[in-house]
Amino acid sequence: PPHVQMASHESLNSESKSSSLNSKLGHELMTVRDGSRTLRPDEPSLVPGEHMEGTAREVTYLCPYTGPKKGTLSVTNYRLYFRSPETDPPFELEVPLGVVSRIEKVGGANTSRGENSYGIEIFCKDIRNLRFAHKQTDVQYPLPIDREMNITVFRRFRILQNFGGYGTGQINEENHSRRMVTEKLLQYAFPASHKLPFFAFEYCEQYPENGWSVYEPIAELKRQGLPNESWRITRINELYELCETYPAVWAVPAAACDNDLRNVAAFRSRGRIPVLSWIHPESQATITRCAQPLVGVSGKRSRDDEAYIQHIMDANAQSHKIFIMDARPSVNAVANKAKGGGYESEDAYQNAEVQFLDIHNIHVMRESLRKLQEVCYPHIDNAHWLSNLEATHWLDHIRCVLSGALRIADKVESHKTSVVVHCSDGWDRTAQLTALAMLMLDGYYRTITGVAVLIEKEWLSYGHKFAQRIGHGDDRHQDADRSPVFLQFVDCVWQIMRQFPHAFQFTEDLLITLLNHLYSCLFGTFLYNSERERMEKEVKTKTVSLWSLILSNQSDFENPLYNPATRHHVLFPLTSMRHLCLWDKYYCRWNPSMRQQEPVHIRFKELLHVKGQLEKRVDELRKELAARQTHDSPRVASAIV
Amino acid sequence: MSSYKRNKPPGGFKTYVDFVEFEERPIDVPEEIVEVKAEPELLPGEIVIAEANNVLKFAPLKTNKTGISGTLFITNFKVSFVTSLPVDTKEAELHERSLQNHFLNVHDVCLSEVDSVNQFSEGSTKKKRLFYNAPLPPRLSGLQLVLKNLRIINFSFKFTPAGEDLRVTQALLHHAFPPTIDHLFLSCGHPPPSPGIPDFCVAQDWERELHRTRCPNWRVSKHNEFFNLCSSLPAVVVVPRDLLDAQLDEAAQHFQGTRPPVWCWGSLAGAALVRMAQISPSITDKQQENRMMGLVHRCHPKKLQPTILDLDQMLPSLKDIQISYMKLRELHTPDDPVQFWEQDRHYYSRWESSRWLSHVSKCLEVAKSAATAILLHNSSVILQESEGRDLGAVISSLVQLLLDPHVRTIRGFHCLVQKEWVALGHPFSTRLGHTRNQIEEQSPLWLLFLDCVYQVSLQHHASLEFTSEYLVALWHAAFCSLHSSFMFNSISAKYTATAVLQRENPHQPIYLRPVWSWWAESQSLLVSEQNGTSENCLGKKHSREAFLNVHYIQSLLESLSATGALRRIRDPLSSAYHTWHRIKFLFESSGTLPFDSSCPVASLQLDTPLRIDVSLSSLKPWKDCFCAWLTEPATLTLNESESLLKRSPPNSQHWKHLYQIYNTLKGHLSDSLTNGTLK
């Protein structure tokens, strides 16, 4: 069983955590640390389980905004830390190594030998690149060749060589430490490629709340009123044998027996059969999710699959129709037939209407984000800002995803009709659509606990391949499986939040924290591709859940403007481009010239503070007044000023 | 979980003009409708010219064109649609936040708001523009009004008795495009409540401004009393102390529009902000220009060289601004859902190619450099421009907004607009096209200025006392003929029009109504709740909350929470006293503007100017203004999402706490007053 810590909220621990949490939300850190720990001034304060791995002095950070800064670069098993005493307060930069996507050497024999022409460039998954430079030592020595060294490692060493000045003759301490630091950087940024564990397995912070227990599949289904006469809960996949990317517990139509489920699984890509995501508490209209049917070029049919879809429709007495929402553009759906997939033909599936939602695949999305990054970082081309932004199509894709989800919510809410959602494999676009539709339909998912449940359920348990899409700890930065699918979902949530500022219990700080730790590998939450893999790796017992941090520091994420009455409303956001905005607080957060408005919820908190202050002052004055009157002194109001 | 509120099925007369593709949109209708003869509400002096019955009104871009039925009236003031059916929530919201809601109902449109009238026929997307001087077709099936504030309203005459369609259209075309301004409905019939701000038409107002700014070496001249000097300037102007009135006469002849340079603002240190026209093109001799500049130079106590900003060179031309505006206008008035979605795909690049934001950026940049010259170099700034009535007004106003904290209050902003735009003669009528003439002279400088202010408010959200909703309302207000502030080309044009009206209606008093009077007829919700009052003389009372910036008020309260501030609150010399009175006026005053003229305005203290980032990526398209009337075409069965949750005012929580704080303080202060212990 997962370890449960029930320490009180007032513990010193949680205090210090919330402050470090705040700093993690922000920009490049430029704060002076408190002297509560005895540290060397150029070392970071470490989290439990973190230890220093190396330090290099006389390194220059080439800040794209404020110019080069000379200082000390340290690497721990969790992060990179750079500190320059040149400015007041000292300049600090902290990057969890999990966000590193690739590390490249800069400069070499053919480039000019300017002062900052040698060094490394670190490309990050969170839309920034960092460049560090050092003086090149003039004499280069041949590499010590290790027998076990394969070709990639060889390449990596060439980087080390240039960065660290891999000298054998006059090994000065400086070069040695630089080489060490780069080596450690590579190791801990890409632990998976070095057969090292993720830092999440070392991290041993104690949180008062245990985030691993936030989502219990049975409890969540019970909350939705299941099981009922039309839907049953099954453990057929307890050992992940029927479908290895699905969770152990499913809700399926009661009319389908276990054997039916097996037959349907055979007809759905990767055995991902239609299972229940959400059921409308009044109309019983449902959202179910699955992968594409294995129709193929020959137009194969499965009686069991057809009957199964009919069961889903029959489970909702309100409608004699069912919608099958295929997230893909219809061209892609057709093209999938060649690979054995495809989509449901309306002839075979009686009463079903297939609609295509025109959302593009992971490769298109990855390319769009790459363009967005070019536009946002490090500098913005002011003259063409809006057209460049448009050319990335990022907001176009956001609009597509949002309007697809909106269409699902509308069918379920307004037409009382059940919807089956799938794309190709049902773990990317499908997760976006079902989770967003559920967020619109059910106010529970707009609370802090609720959003945790939503992500645990629709994303993690139903097998969105986080490890593959993010490439946790993996140095193959060009891996075609990487894609910002989850980021898009979070962006969509933010767009809805912007339109309904009172409908969410949390603020965008929670979303940014989610994204920070999507990459950081500090928590076990987003590691691996499926529930099964997480079970095998004992993630729940060996790592801390991100929800532990969030639930233990709820007040940092609470939206003071939240109106709980909105929980009973369905949100139908507007999805035209005119109503969408670039989330600049996230995408442009590294750019100090992007002026950030103080968020309204912070102003509101300040207001409550002022209120308290004023009430206190009034109280003081009252007491003073009362004291004077009891003195009953005839002295004429000597000024208290 | 309860879900989306479902409405009763519609009753009453409702027709579907179009093929109904989607399920009908439910409309809330009272159980029983008593059929009464529809009548528009008329103001004194207003008469009905034509009416058409059984007209259907529908919002554009709705694929499920559910029209609401009613009677369409054309009066000499407005297009009035009278219906017993409830209104669209979006329309209601915008009506609530308008400055003409005292005399226009939610379905009413002032004639001067109409930009163009199109005819359209059912089942076809083709439309044809109708002109006041061209013959009408024999039968009209539908009418589309395009308003100057980017709103589109469609009327269908499908069920209208024959002949009525033509009569209303004729009346509309005849009255909406007057040859001269005095043909508009300008007098409101009632004496308007005092707006409580100076109008800058009398010497006293300018003297007070000189006094407030403490700018030395300038004097008030009444030489333009009969507009002999210059018809676009007010009767009173501020000129260099050493300039004699006779010299003023001579100088004026050399400038375009016979407009001599005038002072509009200055600082204690001596830097003055001066607006000046260019030398007339026919005059080659620059002597007078140099002389005037020399005088400005000499006015400076330290005799520092003035900075001359040639706005014609530095800023886009009025034509460019109009072209940009027309592009944005097209982008925000799509004809049908197809066009809407087509435009939507390129929404942001179309904003960019309109170049509107780049104009905004340039204006802010010039204003910023002028403000820097004044504040850091203590240099006087001369804003030179062809006639000095257009871009000069934009820049001069922005400079003051950046430097002068008083201008950032509602009262101060009103004074600013009254001074720079109304009194100093921005040609509103020509630029906004209030008459049918001079169409090529149109250019929305007023909107450009408001957009600049909007960008400032975005970057400094607690520094302006008013909200961006107020700026939108001021833009919309510029097209309502009853707001005399924005109707005329100059003060003298206003006098001329009034005289004409008086001659035509000798037995009727003429009352022109400044736009600022709205504030005198509104109150805060706090007061309405306490007194249970909800009506004024025109039968409507409106709440101010949408126009008051909660963050600004919050920062006022923040300053009171400082140690010792409360103790000094009764000391008229303390800042706490002033702060408290401002708060009190905001919450309590009814019938007067926030802080009436009895509350003295403190002398100008130049402290920290507002810093603004003018780079294009920091400026945002002003969607609240340009998309105000644009509804997304229905893609869903229910697409009332916007109204569903936004209906509760976004700042209601904020207001609640502000009221509570205010009441606590007020309670305390009245306690301490009765006890008399605290001074």
Side-chain angles (χ1 to χ4, degrees), chain A residues 447-464:
Chain A
T447 63
I448 293 179
T449 318
V451 78
V453 168
L454 183 71
I455 290 169
E456 284 284 343
K457 177 176 148 69
E458 288 305 305
W459 288 89
L460 291 155
S461 84
Y462 282 104
H464 172 68

Side-chain angles (χ1 to χ4, degrees), chain B residues 345-486:
Chain B
R345 288 172 51 201
H346 303 291
Y347 186 70
Y348 286 104
S349 58
R350 275 171 162 250
W351 257 93
E352 186 179 287
S353 60
S354 81
R355 303 191 56 76
W356 178 264
L357 279 178
S358 112
H359 302 332
V360 170
S361 167
K362 287 218 177 74
C363 288
L364 286 169
E365 195 181 343
V366 171
K368 203 173 151 181
S369 65
T372 312
I374 291 174
L375 194 73
L376 293 184
H377 310 303
N378 189 21
S379 158
S380 289
V381 170
I382 299 174
L383 305 172
Q384 200 173 16
E385 181 210 0
S386 48
E387 269 198 49
R389 303 165 69 180
D390 293 301
L391 292 165
V394 176
I395 302 303
S396 174
S397 309
L398 287 175
V399 171
Q400 293 172 58
L401 186 78
L402 297 182
L403 291 176
D404 187 343
H406 173 59
V407 168
R408 297 172 214 145
T409 67
I410 290 169
R411 185 180 149 79
F413 191 71
H414 292 173
C415 289
L416 178 83
V417 173
Q418 189 65 32
K419 181 174 73 169
E420 298 290 333
W421 292 82
V422 182
L424 290 181
H426 173 67
F428 278 105
S429 173
T430 309
R431 298 289 175 248
L432 299 180
H434 290 328
T435 62
R436 60 168 80 143
N437 307 313
Q438 293 177 295
I439 290 171
E440 67 289 345
E441 297 277 300
Q442 289 183 18
S443 185
L445 286 142
W446 177 233
L447 178 63
L448 184 68
F449 165 65
L450 292 173
D451 200 339
C452 293
V453 179
Y454 167 74
Q455 304 296 342
V456 173
S457 80
L458 269 190
Q459 295 188 16
H460 298 272
H461 68 313
S463 61
L464 305 184
E465 192 175 42
F466 42 89
T467 57
S468 65
E469 281 86 4
Y470 187 50
L471 300 172
V472 177
L474 280 176
W475 167 241
H476 292 170
F479 300 111
C480 176
S481 61
L482 278 187
H483 291 143
S484 66
S485 314
F486 305 131

